[in-house]
Amino acid sequence: RKIIFEKQWFYLDNAIGHVYGTTFEVTSGGSLQPKEEMEEVTTETKEAGTDNRNIVDDGKSQKLTHDDIKALKDKGIKGQEIVQQLIENSTTFRDKTEFAQDKYIKKKKKKYEAVITIVKPSTRILSTMYYAREPGKINHLRYDTLAQMLTLGNIRAGNKMIVMETCAGLVLGAVMERMGGYGSIIQMYPGGGPVRAATSCFGFPKPFFDNLHEFPLSKVDSLLSGTFSTDTLPSEPEYNVLLEEESNGLTGKKQASLQETEEDSTTETAMEINETEEQETTDISAEDVEFKEIKEKENVREKKQWERRKKLIEAAALLREKNADGLIVASKFHPTPLLLTLLEFVAPSRPFVVYCLYKEPLLECYTKLRERGGVINLKLSETWLRNYQVLPDRSHPKLTMSGGGGYLLSGITVFLDKGKSDASNLETLKTEEPSSKRCKIQDLHC
Amino acid sequence: MSFVEYGDTIKDGDTAIVFLGHESMFPVKVQHGTVTQTKYGVIRHSTDLIGKKYGSRVTCSKGGWVYILHPTPELWTMNLPHRTQILYSTDISIITMMLELKPGSIVCESGTGSGSLSHALIRTVAPTGHLYTVEFHQQRAEKAREEFREHGVEHLVTVTNQDVCKNGFGVSNTADAVFLDIPSPWEAIGHAKSALKAEGGRICSFSPCIEQVQRTCLAMEEYGFTEINTLEILLRVYNVRTISLQIPDLGKAAEDNSSTGFDSSNPSNQGSSCVNLQQGTVQFKSGVPLREMVGHTGYLTFATKS
């Protein structure tokens, strides 16, 4: 299979059988394995200038022309050698400082020596990659912010977590990695189904998915009000019902036509086919392959639907216990309604974390949670990440990343005080408090 | 209770966190017949704590109340008895992710210090992983062992009392990750390399000074580590406040006020800010940075052995 990466295209066939972390050099068309470490070619860097007072930018320091370089490339000469040629044909190279020479070589190497390292997927790799390549798909959730979420949420093996995310499944994958297949996760999803594009990049083993449940966000209200259980079976996601009808219609027509052409197949068998799957495969003669195919498709669909429904009921049962060990929210939606509702499913003394790209919705969320009660230790925070270049005599910060990393609101659930559960009772409760000192503390919370 | 498993009810011998409100909390060891003094009065363990559910509100003798929380590594970090300078959750988070830790990982750590990071590491690698932690200070090593026992995680950790720079971690070719928080990490890089699995692993070194980082990076390069990367992470916490700003009196007539742009009927203004024209103030919610914040903890240098 052909893959394009950074303007290079290659086949992965040659990379199979090597350990993770192996570096490959790209040749015309395939992947080729070079040595782990290349011996340094730059032995003649001894000659160097001290400053750039005599270096003039006249655009003529490189004696090789574009065409020359292209010719070298077309000949299939190794990138290493091209770099060497460029150095030899640079009139100013010798006058540059040692550090500038280093930088020059590094820059050229990057351009001409195409090397690729194949690494194992992990949250570290994938979250850094998504933030750099497709930040829009993960709501600009920076990798250090994701790291905070995993810690603040006390994500670990054995938990029963509720995750609501629209980050392509990256947050879900990160949670799954930390739980290592122990415990259960209920993913709340908007629309027709959960998005797990990034989750599949992790390459999790199959057992990890056994305790991964999903539940449609649109059914949460009915679940909380108790109306869910009664109408759960008929009121499947609508498109499913549509599919069912459609496939039924199709087979119906097919059956009719079959009966016309083939007199020997009685209506009774056709009816039976409709009902049981095992009989169907044995009963059908080799002649009606077409019919069989459609029937199989329908069966797969039915099976899938049945499984979906089963999982939905399982997820609903898990949620109904209202004893989840934590809640993680990172979505494009307004966090307040999500949190106020989903916290109902979380047990007391458990952490929750909400991510939002913007601070203002979290300010509102903070206020609303205070009004609701049942939460303590609310904290609104943000992290700054700074990368450093560390080289002898050349150490300094690389770039500051800020703002774009998003904000977190975290806290811990506690038992909701009976009187406090009613928002209207809040006032009376406050007046009931005898000690003024305590009132002060309460105000501080707000 | 255990630091690696949630429990519902408080039991004798548990470590619980007493939450007094507004960042004020402390840990208690729950014991029959013991009492704990708080500023709201006395908590009697036998009647007030044991058998109650975590997350409950407990009324103290003076009528005040506190919340009792289930311990987590993060709460422990905020409340543990300091024997050394400790790592806080912000750094711990990025360390855990960048070292690619997960259930089953084998980790080496030195020094153990006050065990702030150790608890977080154990939480993450449980139930099948293991932590080998090395502390050269005998008293601290003892204390750490005692705590791990009390917290029900001793089966997941081995504390060794030796000098990591001289004697290494006591294991070879077993670790998926190594973490160093010692004054001269460059002297332990060789030991770190041999502690890591033959097929590779990740390493992290925490140092407050850039000179330490430089020497560590050179040592890492010398020992063939790749992907060397140094970073720093800072936490900014915001207080949520309602702020009201006065509208200056520019001498305009009262009827002109409605056209100043601060129209309270404007739907976009609702919720986040509102105007009280009588008092001449505008109110809005804001996230205000704390007056003082942690400006530097340490540089984190990560690298890969492959």
Side-chain angles (χ1 to χ4, degrees), chain B residues 52-68:
Chain B
K52 286 261 177 70
K53 283 194 156 54
Y54 279 107
S56 305
R57 200 159 113 170
V58 172
T59 311
C60 306
S61 62
K62 284 186 200 162
W65 39 263
V66 297
Y67 282 107
I68 307 296

Side-chain angles (χ1 to χ4, degrees), chain A residues 122 124 143 148 151 154 156 178 182 349-351 367 380-384 386 388 395 415 438 441, chain B residues 3 6 40 55 64 70 74 90 93 97 100 103 123 128 214 227 230-234 236 238 285:
Chain A
S122 64
R124 168 177 76 99
Y143 45 97
Q148 302 301 319
T151 305
N154 195 22
R156 63 174 173 205
R178 285 292 173 88
Y182 303 93
S349 196
R350 298 292 188 272
T367 317
L380 178 63
S381 66
E382 173 199 16
T383 49
W384 282 6
R386 204 153 149 115
Y388 284 82
S395 301
F415 274 102
R438 238 170 297 119
I441 292 287
Chain B
F3 269 67
Y6 281 119
Y40 301 137
H70 196 286
E74 287 60 54
T90 315
S93 309
M97 185 165 97
E100 302 183 348
R123 176 263 315 273
T128 47
Q214 269 183 351
E227 264 192 284
T230 302
L231 56 86
E232 185 187 19
I233 187 163
L234 289 176
R236 280 176 75 86
Y238 297 95
K285 280 247 180 307

Side-chain angles (χ1 to χ4, degrees), chain A residues 53-300:
Chain A
R53 73 182 75 184
N54 294 320
I55 297 178
V56 190
D57 185 13
D58 54 2
K60 282 183 260 173
S61 56
Q62 182 54 256
K63 282 184 281 178
L64 290 177
T65 62
H66 270 293
D67 296 334
D68 290 337
I69 297 168
K70 198 167 178 292
L72 283 173
K73 266 185 171 171
D74 288 344
K75 266 190 257 171
I77 284 174
K78 269 196 170 180
Q80 234 173 29
E81 282 159 34
I82 298 180
V83 174
Q84 195 60 30
Q85 291 246 18
L86 284 171
I87 293 168
E88 275 161 25
N89 287 294
S90 169
T91 50
T92 49
F93 187 78
R94 266 157 226 280
D95 300 326
K96 285 181 196 236
T97 63
E98 202 182 311
F99 298 148
Q101 287 181 354
D102 223 31
K103 207 168 160 185
Y104 181 84
I105 294 168
K106 263 195 192 149
K107 229 165 125 185
K108 296 297 170 198
K109 267 193 174 169
K110 213 173 166 186
K111 196 165 170 191
Y112 295 104
E113 290 177 20
V115 291
I116 287 162
T117 309
I118 297 183
V119 294
K120 202 172 177 157
S122 64
T123 304
R124 168 177 76 99
I125 303 277
L126 287 170
S127 59
T128 331
M129 187 204 87
Y130 263 95
Y131 187 74
R133 303 210 142 226
E134 291 178 296
K137 282 197 180 160
I138 55 164
N139 302 309
H140 296 261
L141 170 68
R142 208 205 290 137
Y143 45 97
D144 56 311
T145 312
L146 176 61
Q148 302 301 319
M149 293 179 77
L150 297 171
T151 305
L152 290 171
N154 195 22
I155 311 294
R156 63 174 173 205
N159 277 7
K160 172 170 160 184
M161 294 301 304
I162 300 176
V163 178
M164 163 58 208
E165 65 130 295
T166 58
C167 295
L170 178 73
V171 176
L172 177 72
V175 172
M176 284 170 78
E177 184 183 275
R178 285 292 173 88
M179 290 179 55
Y182 303 93
S184 52
I185 304 170
I186 306 139
Q187 183 183 14
M188 316 299 285
Y189 63 86
V195 179
R196 290 177 186 162
T199 319
S200 62
C201 297
F202 282 83
F204 288 126
K206 251 202 163 148
F208 275 43
F209 292 91
D210 291 348
N211 287 313
L212 172 60
H213 304 275
E214 60 255 359
F215 190 84
L217 212 50
S218 54
K219 298 273 173 202
V220 168
D221 249 0
S222 65
L223 186 70
L224 276 172
S225 59
T227 53
F228 178 77
S229 56
T230 47
D231 59 67
T232 168
L233 281 169
S235 76
E236 268 288 285
E238 275 160 36
Y239 72 101
N240 254 2
V241 180
L242 275 175
L243 273 179
E244 205 170 23
E245 277 166 4
E246 187 193 349
S247 57
N248 273 347
L250 260 176
T251 44
K253 262 183 227 161
K254 202 75 202 171
Q255 272 167 22
S257 62
L258 272 170
Q259 271 163 28
E260 275 168 31
T261 47
E262 292 177 60
E263 292 296 309
D264 51 345
S265 77
T266 60
T267 36
E268 274 146 39
T269 44
M271 291 288 273
E272 271 171 20
I273 287 162
N274 240 347
E275 278 162 21
T276 57
E277 37 176 296
E278 266 182 46
Q279 247 177 331
E280 162 239 313
T281 38
T282 47
D283 277 10
I284 284 170
S285 58
E287 280 172 303
D288 41 17
V289 193
E290 229 185 310
F291 176 77
K292 205 172 143 190
E293 267 176 10
I294 290 202
K295 201 60 198 164
E296 257 171 17
K297 258 190 210 161
E298 198 207 339
N299 260 322
V300 169

Side-chain angles (χ1 to χ4, degrees), chain B residues 28-299:
Chain B
V28 284
K29 209 178 138 190
V30 181
Q31 273 173 320
H32 267 296
T34 314
V35 292
T36 301
Q37 292 287 345
T38 74
K39 58 178 172 182
Y40 301 137
V42 173
I43 303 172
R44 286 184 181 79
H45 290 200
S46 308
T47 51
D48 294 340
L49 297 182
I50 294 170
K52 286 261 177 70
K53 283 194 156 54
Y54 279 107
S56 305
R57 200 159 113 170
V58 172
T59 311
C60 306
S61 62
K62 284 186 200 162
W65 39 263
V66 297
Y67 282 107
I68 307 296
L69 300 179
H70 196 286
T72 65
E74 287 60 54
L75 287 175
W76 181 248
T77 290
M78 283 188 266
N79 295 293
L80 56 81
H82 284 223
R83 299 183 283 274
T84 55
Q85 177 67 261
I86 63 159
L87 278 167
Y88 289 94
S89 298
T90 315
D91 286 303
I92 290 173
S93 309
I94 197 95
I95 291 166
T96 313
M97 185 165 97
M98 290 302 193
L99 287 182
E100 302 183 348
L101 300 183
K102 53 192 176 202
S105 297
I106 309 287
V107 198
C108 290
E109 176 204 30
S110 185
T112 315
S114 307
S116 169
L117 176 69
S118 312
H119 279 85
L121 295 176
I122 292 167
R123 176 263 315 273
T124 305
V125 305
T128 47
H130 200 84
L131 171 69
Y132 294 91
T133 183
V134 177
E135 170 63 53
F136 70 169
H137 192 287
Q138 202 199 331
Q139 221 182 334
R140 278 184 218 148
E142 269 311 315
K143 197 83 191 112
R145 270 192 208 114
E146 200 184 306
E147 271 174 13
F148 294 140
R149 212 167 26 242
E150 269 178 26
H151 296 162
V153 294
E154 55 182 328
H155 56 294
L156 296 163
V157 56
T158 307
V159 186
T160 313
N161 178 212
Q162 64 185 30
D163 185 354
V164 73
C165 297
K166 290 201 186 85
N167 309 311
F169 291 93
V171 289
S172 61
N173 288 334
T174 49
D176 296 292
V178 171
F179 177 79
L180 294 169
D181 179 9
I182 50 173
S184 51
W186 56 91
E187 289 175 23
I189 298 293
H191 293 298
K193 196 186 177 183
S194 57
L196 284 167
K197 279 180 180 156
E199 58 261 42
R202 295 276 293 165
I203 185 171
C204 173
S205 167
F206 175 93
S207 301
C209 308
I210 196 75
E211 289 83 2
Q212 291 171 303
V213 175
Q214 269 183 351
R215 295 183 73 166
T216 310
C217 283
L218 283 176
M220 282 177 175
E221 228 166 291
E222 202 179 302
Y223 280 98
F225 281 95
T226 55
E227 264 192 284
I228 302 170
N229 182 24
T230 302
L231 56 86
E232 185 187 19
I233 187 163
L234 289 176
L235 179 71
R236 280 176 75 86
V237 178
Y238 297 95
N239 279 330
V240 180
R241 292 241 179 84
T242 305
I243 294 175
S244 54
L245 291 181
Q246 251 188 317
I247 297 170
D249 180 11
L250 297 174
K252 278 187 187 153
E255 59 264 32
D256 280 1
N257 268 345
S258 56
S259 58
T260 46
F262 300 115
D263 191 358
S264 55
S265 64
N266 184 355
S268 71
N269 259 351
Q270 271 174 8
S272 58
S273 67
C274 60
V275 188
N276 194 332
L277 286 174
Q278 266 76 41
Q279 286 165 26
T281 57
V282 181
Q283 282 198 335
F284 61 93
K285 280 247 180 307
S286 178
V288 188
L290 303 189
R291 205 145 27 110
E292 216 169 47
M293 61 174 265
V294 175
H296 179 69
T297 51
Y299 300 105

Side-chain angles (χ1 to χ4, degrees), chain A residues 376-422:
Chain A
I376 53 166
N377 211 26
L378 281 186
K379 205 161 105 182
L380 178 63
S381 66
E382 173 199 16
T383 49
W384 282 6
L385 186 72
R386 204 153 149 115
N387 278 289
Y388 284 82
Q389 166 180 301
V390 181
L391 286 168
D393 300 323
R394 279 161 292 166
S395 301
H396 59 75
K398 256 194 248 174
L399 68 159
T400 311
M401 288 166 55
S402 96
Y407 299 86
L408 294 177
L409 178 64
S410 63
I412 302 171
T413 56
V414 288
F415 274 102
L416 201 59
D417 196 51
K418 298 275 149 42
K420 229 178 180 176
S421 62
D422 235 339

